[in-house]
Amino acid sequence: MRIRSSFLVIAAAAWIPVGLARAADSDADKLREALRAATMQTRQLEDQRAALQAKLADAEKEKAVAKAQIEGAKAETRRVEKRERETTEEFNRRLAERDETLDKWKAAYEEAASVARDRDAARAKFEAEAKAYKASTDSCVAKNTQLITHGQDLLRRYQSVTIGDTIVAREPVLGLRRVEIQNAIQDLRDKILDQKAAP
C-alpha cells in the first residue's frame, strides 16, 4: 500500500507539474492572446487617433480658412459700408448744393419776375401817358392849326384896313364902325382863347 501511495504521490507530483505546465501554457496562451488583442486594439486606436488627428488638422485648416474668409468678408463689408457712407455723404452734399442752387435760381426768378412786373407796369403807364400825350398833341396840333387860321384871318383883316376904315373907326358921333370892329376883335379873341391847350 505504501508503494501504491508513493506511486500515487509520484504520479500526482508528475501530474501536477504537467497540469501546472498545461495550465501555465494555457494562461500564457491566454496572456499572449490578450497581448495580441491589446496590441491590435492599440494599433487600431493609434490608427484611429492618427485619423482623428488628421481630421482635426484638416478641421483646423478649414477653420483657419473659414476664419480668414470671415475676416476678409468683414473687411470687405467695412469697405462697402465705408464706400456706401461716402457715396451717401457725397449724394447728400450734391443734393444740398442742388437745393442751394435751386433756391438761388428761385430768388433770381422771383427778382426777374418782379422786375418784369415793374417794367410791365411802367410800360403800361408810359403807354397810357404816351396815348394821353398823343391825344393831347393831336389836340394841340388841331388847335394850333385853328390858331394859325385865325391868326391869318386877323392878318388879312389887318392888311385890308385902309385909311378910310381907320377914320370911320374913329368917327366920334355914332361909333357904329367902332362897335363892329370891337365885336370882330372880341370874336377873334374868343376863337383864340378857345384854342388854348389844356394842361
Side-chain angles (χ1 to χ4, degrees), residues 159-196:
Q159 286 174 349
S160 66
V161 173
T162 61
I163 293 180
D165 290 332
T166 307
I167 294 173
V168 170
R170 292 189 185 259
E171 183 263 313
V173 178
L174 295 174
L176 292 176
R177 183 78 174 143
R178 176 180 229 160
V179 171
E180 188 181 313
I181 292 173
Q182 285 177 348
N183 284 340
I185 290 172
Q186 185 64 41
D187 283 344
L188 282 172
R189 179 181 290 150
D190 289 343
K191 287 179 182 179
I192 289 171
L193 288 177
D194 285 342
Q195 304 309 316
K196 182 178 179 182

Side-chain angles (χ1 to χ4, degrees), residues 9-25:
V9 170
I10 292 174
W15 183 79
I16 289 177
V18 169
L20 282 176
R22 279 188 189 161
D25 281 345

Side-chain angles (χ1 to χ4, degrees), residues 41-52:
Q41 193 174 14
T42 302
R43 282 185 191 152
Q44 286 175 350
L45 289 174
E46 284 292 325
D47 290 345
Q48 287 178 357
R49 185 175 69 100
L52 289 174

